[in-house]
Amino acid sequence: MKLLDRILDLLFPPKCPFCGRILDGPGICPACEKALPWTDDAQGLREGPGGLRCAAPLWYEDLAREGILRFKFQGASAAATPLGELIARCAAERFSGAFDTVTWVPVSRRRLRKRGYDQARLLAEAACRLWDTKPVRLLNKTVDNPAQSGLTEAAARRANVLGVYEPCPGADIAGKRVLLIDDICTTGATLTECVRVLKDAGAAEVVCAAVALTRKQPEKHAKERR
């Protein structure tokens, strides 16, 4: 495997997921390490209805946004390794000892065929490699609903994901403490719905982690939009 890895690195050298610079190994270049919009201890945890708790190392803006969009929509699947490692470090810091099972927010079959990969699954697999374990598929997406990115109102985003996920047949969920992984947490609607489904299926606890969070709108702007 080490020889194969070397050959693959020669053919497809690792690149920084944010600027595309070629690196000696998977990771993030020093310049991007300094320039990325890192969340701080106080703001890197999003809490919401239904017991939602989602930690993320980055804000979804600037370099982080550009890198995640390339990973998600432009075929840059190799970025899953460094991005998944960011999630792993963040989850270990925030939720150490709080989960015994790792899963992800799945895409629909139609989206999978179109994109060629499930980005959240790749992130979960990359994170789990650092822990010498593997993620477990606990959820299916049964409805190919419109993309959340096309919706701006929180209520519309909640309605858009209602009932589109279900537990995988035969999934061992009862009593599990689950870490649920996704790429971005915007309003938290998707994660909140997945948390609800997992808890309804018997999960003892569900905590979430993503690569990036969007910043909350100032209250006055939220009122203006209503």
Side-chain angles (χ1 to χ4, degrees):
M1 283 300 294
K2 290 184 178 180
L3 177 60
L4 178 59
D5 288 341
R6 292 195 195 101
I7 294 172
L8 289 174
D9 283 348
L10 287 173
L11 296 174
F12 308 101
K15 296 180 180 179
C16 175
F18 301 105
C19 70
R21 183 175 301 170
I22 293 177
L23 305 174
D24 293 333
I28 301 169
C29 75
C32 287
E33 281 272 6
K34 293 181 180 179
L36 282 168
W38 300 99
T39 58
D40 59 30
D41 291 340
Q43 296 178 312
L45 182 67
R46 176 71 46 83
E47 297 182 325
L52 174 68
R53 289 195 297 154
C54 180
L58 298 171
W59 293 115
Y60 185 58
E61 57 195 32
D62 304 329
L63 272 177
R65 182 177 184 275
E66 293 169 12
I68 292 169
L69 289 177
R70 280 196 296 272
F71 165 59
K72 191 170 181 177
F73 297 115
Q74 298 176 26
S77 58
T81 296
L83 297 180
E85 289 176 359
L86 290 182
I87 288 178
R89 293 205 304 263
C90 180
E93 291 170 1
R94 293 284 186 174
F95 303 128
S96 178
F99 58 90
D100 50 40
T101 303
V102 180
T103 193
W104 66 92
V105 176
V107 297
S108 66
R109 289 183 179 179
R110 181 179 178 185
R111 196 72 54 82
L112 181 60
R113 287 194 299 269
K114 182 178 180 180
R115 188 172 296 160
Y117 55 91
D118 182 333
Q119 76 278 357
R121 179 173 187 165
L122 295 183
L123 292 171
E125 289 173 346
C128 282
R129 281 195 291 272
L130 292 185
W131 300 325
D132 196 26
T133 187
K134 293 183 179 180
V136 180
R137 186 180 189 115
L138 298 181
L139 295 169
N140 282 330
K141 189 173 186 181
T142 58
V143 178
D144 186 42
N145 59 326
Q148 289 285 79
S149 57
L151 304 171
T152 56
E153 296 294 336
R157 294 176 73 98
R158 288 194 299 270
N160 189 48
V161 295
L162 188 62
V164 306
Y165 299 97
E166 65 179 24
C168 291
D172 183 15
I173 299 175
K176 298 295 185 182
R177 298 178 302 148
V178 179
L179 172 65
L180 176 64
I181 289 177
D182 204 1
D183 50 4
I184 309 161
C185 178
T186 306
T187 62
T190 298
L191 288 170
T192 297
E193 175 65 6
C194 289
V195 168
R196 181 191 68 78
V197 172
L198 289 169
K199 287 186 174 180
D200 285 352
E205 183 62 68
V206 183
V207 292
C208 307
V211 180
L213 299 171
T214 57
R215 293 185 190 267
K216 288 186 176 181
Q217 282 191 325
E219 185 64 24
K220 66 175 184 177
H221 289 170
K223 290 179 180 178
E224 288 169 2
R225 288 175 67 120
R226 288 199 293 269

